[in-house]
Amino acid sequence: MTDLPGPLAEIRDDFLSFTEKERLQLLLEFSNELPALPDRYAEHPELLERVEECQSPVYLFVDVVDDEVQVHATAPAEAPTTRGFASILVQGITGLPADVVLSIPDDFPLQLGLTAAVSPLRLRGMSGMLWRIKRQVSAKAAV
Amino acid sequence: MTVAFDPAEKFQQYAHPERLVSTAWLEAHLGTAGLVVVECDEDVLLYETGHIPGAVKLDWHTELNDPVMRDYIDGEQFARLMSAKGIARDSTVVIYGDKSNWWAAYALWVLTLFGHHDVRLLDGGRDRWIADERPLTTEAAQHAATDYPVVERDDAAVRAFKDDVLSHFGRPLIDVRSPEEYSGERTHMPAYPEEGALRGGHVPTAASVPWSRAVNDDGTFRSADELATVYRDEAGLGDADDVITYCRIGERSSHTWFALTHLLGIPRVRNYDGSWTEWGSAVRVPIAVGTEPGTAPGR
């Protein structure tokens, strides 16, 4: 398997240590743990980027401060799967240096052992989130 | 045993009023012997966040499809599945779900392939139940296993395959996708990710009647008169017609199939579950692009 940054590798290993059914439970826990948006974004939705690949309305914003990446995301409670994916990326990526984020393998969503339990369409939504996060990081880290 | 029907006045105007129940009826009948409530959602985690008390979860993605053959499960697998859900052959099954009941209607249609007699939809689905502030629980329901008989799946009555569609030109085909998918501007729903069709467009001669024309803003079905205006008057469907519906993977067209079959009472309606993901990628099948139905291909 491709090298993953520490926090994402830990998340992946957690998922893979469980049965398929338990993996969904873990995804639900991530979904419940998605941090609320900081006030400055909650009050300015126009700053957020819509993840078009997701069927549910998911928005995210990436900050790069002193080369450290921070990811913020929001998704509705009626879309727990999508929220779970956003939460994994928010928790797994925030705090990493920009170049490390850019090196995250694009197939990370497929490494979580969820391809049988969750439809490919959903996993593609997570790939869309990751791709957009990386694109924002490369734009903001270059400035 | 069959649980009494919902006598709500709205439903009495439909051809088969026994196929719908209201949220009020369902809340009043929770726990009735012989009734099994089933939640079937697009989002596979939604049930776990809270569901109707006593409802069991049915996963359209992992439980209704055969893992090897691209097809539905067979009679033995279906009997095991129903038994595990606590559904007996004579149970009254009420299905509800997210997204205006798309997957609930899909599950109801699959149960129909196995001839399950009494299966109904909750009008308005999960969203309506929540909007009505009716009870939810996160406690997973446990029902005793049943002795569900092995019944062979019968695809003939309500399921159409690609070859059926190819020989259907000249008879009504209803495309229930969004106008953008119909015209070929896109191969997937607005705001949905790309889902695997190589070309955009529609089956030649198919009429565009988006699924949403069957529902009110709150996801409940429109009245019998309103449905007749949309499907009988505007789309020109009649009781003598042999109708095939399709969408992208067969879930939205199950919803329209339900409205045509059970609410309007059109006797011969089949759902083409291969739908655009198959048709838009298949070799040697014709397509039409743009907003016009197009003409049947010459042979």
Side-chain angles (χ1 to χ4, degrees):
Chain A
M1 237 171 237
T2 334
D3 270 0
L4 280 176
L8 289 175
E10 214 170 283
I11 291 170
R12 177 200 60 198
D13 294 345
D14 277 353
F15 270 97
L16 295 182
S17 70
F18 288 126
T19 65
E20 218 150 73
K21 206 166 178 177
E22 292 166 337
R23 286 174 200 164
L24 283 181
Q25 196 55 43
L26 182 57
L27 187 59
L28 183 61
E29 282 166 31
F30 271 102
S31 173
N32 292 333
E33 286 169 0
L34 178 65
L37 283 182
D39 288 347
R40 64 185 184 282
Y41 298 123
E43 288 159 13
H44 292 280
E46 73 279 5
L47 294 173
L48 298 162
E49 176 177 353
R50 165 110 200 220
V51 182
E52 301 286 350
E53 293 82 1
C54 283
Q55 48 217 24
S56 316
V58 182
Y59 295 87
L60 53 83
F61 191 84
V62 178
D63 266 335
V64 182
V65 182
D66 297 334
D67 198 44
E68 189 187 290
V69 175
Q70 293 172 354
V71 183
H72 308 288
T74 176
E78 310 84 70
T81 308
T82 305
R83 269 182 75 87
F85 288 151
S87 176
I88 288 170
L89 294 174
V90 166
Q91 298 189 50
I93 291 178
T94 295
L96 297 175
D99 61 331
V100 173
V101 173
L102 293 176
S103 73
I104 296 169
D106 292 330
D107 68 350
F108 168 70
L110 300 176
Q111 296 183 20
L112 300 172
L114 289 166
T115 49
V118 178
S119 77
L121 190 115
R122 295 257 165 202
L123 287 165
R124 234 171 287 163
M126 189 185 192
S127 300
M129 287 183 225
L130 177 58
W131 176 78
R132 283 167 193 274
I133 289 168
K134 287 165 78 168
R135 210 204 46 216
Q136 285 201 29
V137 168
S138 63
K140 286 168 186 170
V143 179
Chain B
M1 82 208 74
T2 292
V3 178
F5 301 130
D6 183 346
E9 197 181 327
K10 172 189 172 188
F11 302 156
Q12 305 318 309
Q13 310 307 314
Y14 295 131
H16 299 284
E18 73 279 9
R19 291 294 181 166
L20 282 176
V21 303
S22 61
T23 54
W25 181 94
L26 185 58
E27 186 175 359
H29 286 77
L30 289 179
T32 303
L35 172 69
V36 182
V37 183
V38 173
E39 175 160 343
C40 188
D41 297 317
E42 177 183 54
D43 192 306
V44 297
L45 283 180
L46 205 46
Y47 172 89
E48 282 79 3
T49 68
H51 53 265
I52 296 177
V56 294
K57 173 184 178 178
L58 181 66
D59 187 328
W60 65 275
H61 180 59
T62 60
E63 294 184 315
L64 296 178
N65 293 287
D66 185 276
V68 178
M69 183 73 82
R70 183 176 168 188
D71 201 354
Y72 298 108
I73 52 179
D74 65 20
E76 284 186 19
Q77 292 166 312
F78 185 74
R80 279 199 297 276
L81 179 68
M82 291 298 101
S83 170
K85 304 291 179 195
I87 297 171
R89 187 67 175 166
D90 62 354
S91 294
T92 293
V93 178
V94 171
I95 313 183
Y96 72 100
D98 61 354
K99 309 268 177 191
S100 304
N101 274 337
W102 290 353
W103 274 265
Y106 183 77
L108 182 147
W109 176 77
V110 174
L111 260 68
T112 304
L113 296 176
F114 292 94
H116 190 93
H117 178 64
D118 187 1
V119 53
R120 315 178 190 177
L121 278 187
L122 174 65
D123 196 26
R126 182 183 164 94
D127 286 347
R128 181 62 200 262
W129 182 273
I130 291 172
D132 288 351
E133 298 182 344
R134 299 185 191 277
L136 292 172
T137 179
T138 54
E139 200 178 312
Q142 291 296 335
H143 295 296
T146 64
D147 191 15
Y148 201 95
V150 174
V151 180
E152 283 314 309
R153 204 181 70 227
D154 180 3
D155 293 331
V158 297
R159 187 178 185 196
F161 294 92
K162 187 185 82 191
D163 287 346
D164 298 324
V165 179
L166 276 170
S167 60
H168 198 77
F169 294 120
R171 287 170 284 170
L173 279 163
I174 304 293
D175 184 321
V176 315
R177 298 172 301 161
S178 60
E180 296 81 7
E181 292 169 276
Y182 179 84
S183 67
E185 283 166 60
R186 56 198 316 162
T187 58
H188 54 290
M189 276 183 267
Y192 269 58
E194 195 70 36
E195 198 180 56
L198 290 175
R199 302 188 296 175
H202 55 268
V203 179
T205 74
S208 170
V209 188
W211 71 275
S212 56
R213 301 212 49 204
V215 295
N216 298 307
D217 288 343
D218 67 354
T220 55
F221 281 103
R222 296 175 77 177
S223 70
D225 284 347
E226 290 168 327
L227 293 178
T229 301
V230 172
Y231 296 102
R232 291 190 187 276
D233 301 345
E234 293 175 24
L237 300 180
D239 287 349
D241 280 321
D242 179 357
V243 185
I244 293 179
T245 63
Y246 73 92
C247 61
R248 182 184 52 115
I249 56 172
E251 88 294 13
R252 284 173 290 175
S253 48
S254 301
H255 187 277
T256 298
W257 168 86
F258 179 90
L260 295 178
T261 301
H262 293 310
L263 305 185
L264 283 177
I266 297 175
R268 177 68 169 162
V269 184
R270 285 175 290 166
N271 179 29
Y272 168 39
D273 57 281
S275 275
W276 196 256
T277 54
E278 178 182 44
W279 192 274
S281 298
V283 175
R284 284 198 153 170
V285 301
I287 63 167
V289 294
T291 54
E292 293 302 315
T295 51
R299 288 274 164 169

